[in-house]
Amino acid sequence: MNYDNQFTLLLHYFRYLYLMIFLILFSSLNNIAQTFTELTGSDNPLNGIDVGYYSTPVFADLDHDGDADLFVGAYDGTIHFFRNVGTAVSPSFSGEITGAENPFDGVQEGSFTSICFGDIDHDGDLDSFIADSSGSFNFYRNDGDFESPIFNKITGTDNPLNSVSHFYATPRFVDLDCDGDLDFCSGNQNAKVKYYDNSGTALSPSYAQLPTSPFEDIDNNMGGNYSAVCLADLDNDGDLDAFMGNGNGSIYYGENTGDAVDPVIVLNSADNPFGSIAVGNSSFVSLYDLDNDGDLDAFIGKGGGDILTYANGTSTLPVSMVSFTAELNENRVVLNWNTATEINNYGFDIERAENNISGKNRDWEKLGFVNGSGNSNSPKSYSFIDNTFLMYNDYSYRLKQIDVNGNFKYWDIVNITLGTPEQFAVGPNYPNPFNSSTVINYQLPKEGLVTVKIYDIIGRKIETLLQKKETAGRHIVNFDASDYSSGVYLYTVSFNGFMAVGKMLYLQ
């Protein structure tokens, strides 16, 4: 008898058994019943917003400042824009933004417009599609960038939905089959959900209907008219479920009884968290974590033009934050924060962004990670020191608190201004290695003559980048090496009798 083989089989059996138990427990932890509470009056961040008739609210962080702004289609065929002037944790929406500050200023597409966003050309910013009552899907490509969007209408075959038409459509882009590209679905006047699979790629999408739609049960059983679809993993089971607004004012729930790869959406009235909600006519639902507490809140546009807000009370991030501060200590930024209680707290990512002259934040970068305390009912204190050589005057910092299941929440942002440096210093060039340009940065405690020179590896001077009087503060100078060969180069920065030397690597 081969005992080694028996032992191996037994070991595999127990590994399999352990895995099954883990998956069952994980599923039970994540499938939490969702409870929604309507926010009214001043508690509703969208209180007072009214677009006249047939509101279709959608959220998107178009300006990449860390919070979501609001875009609302309406009966008049325009897109109404409301900027979030609060934070990612405490949203606050100003009055409607009109004129050139509205990225869709001047856009008028028939009537009963509905807008959706998606990075359709995979270039790192959000493009948009605007549907209207005539059945057209109008493509507005973002030809700006992730901070300053500029939308241009694209027609003909360059519009990937040029051949698609559904009256009173409500478009949505989502990766329904988990294959890494954006699929497309839309409600229509017959209360159907039309699904188009992306048979192309993330870079070059091509849309076609499948022989069998994952929404077949919805199409056969929902009834009513004028459907509006929204997809989200509300029950945290790893696949996307569907929520449908309807001309009768109700919200319908379609549970994904398939999986993340092969979805099958089936009408489920018993577990519908919005089953008791009826808004009169023409309901349109959007799900978005507007307060950054780790769960999806609900926003329901009404035929009357206003928007209802329902807060999700099933937050999975029970960490009570008391304070978060930033202070400067000899050109280093010291972050301190305190919690009152913690449950399942895995830890904190520390992120930083430099602020440009317009006041918007550039890309956030992760600086480090600080372990949490797991479960604690007593106050805890944390700190982190940013030792990076800081080139600019103004920075923002934020914490990304993560629980043991991977859910996360961003806490309020703190800002810091560095002021005038206390001493002369030169930071490392960035990037390094580089191709074909890099930035040399330095700081001056007072006004004085600055000289920046470039040398090859054997010490021969090849270029004087800068020789002029500079004011106190932080400065940068760009070195373009496109006329030189690959290799190691040295740079010197001289100021009032002091000199610093750096090394950089140019790779073609």
Side-chain angles (χ1 to χ4, degrees), residues 431-480:
N432 191 22
F434 66 96
N435 177 21
S436 58
S437 65
T438 187
V439 171
I440 299 168
N441 55 86
Y442 53 92
Q443 64 179 36
L444 309 177
K446 59 182 179 180
E447 185 181 81
L449 180 66
V450 177
T451 303
V452 181
K453 297 180 180 180
I454 306 297
Y455 298 85
D456 63 20
I457 191 60
I458 63 174
R460 293 179 301 187
K461 186 185 78 171
I462 64 170
E463 189 173 340
T464 298
L465 284 183
L466 179 76
Q467 190 168 26
K468 71 173 185 177
K469 186 176 285 187
E470 298 262 46
T471 59
R474 293 164 179 82
H475 303 271
I476 61 173
V477 60
N478 184 71
F479 171 50
D480 185 349

Side-chain angles (χ1 to χ4, degrees), residues 31-54:
N31 283 277
I32 303 171
Q34 310 292 298
T35 57
F36 290 87
T37 302
E38 184 178 2
L39 302 181
T40 59
S42 60
D43 291 331
N44 177 5
L46 308 186
N47 184 46
I49 292 178
D50 193 325
V51 298
Y53 183 56
Y54 187 74

Side-chain angles (χ1 to χ4, degrees), residues 82-135:
F82 300 85
R83 179 179 291 125
N84 187 348
V85 296
T87 67
V89 178
S90 301
S92 176
F93 292 88
S94 62
E96 182 174 356
I97 306 298
T98 59
E101 290 191 64
N102 178 355
F104 297 97
D105 179 44
V107 172
Q108 210 282 338
E109 295 291 355
S111 60
F112 293 95
T113 50
S114 177
I115 188 170
C116 70
F117 294 94
D119 185 7
I120 199 68
D121 51 7
H122 212 65
D123 64 348
D125 54 40
L126 291 175
D127 308 295
S128 70
F129 285 80
I130 301 175
D132 59 41
S133 60
S134 71

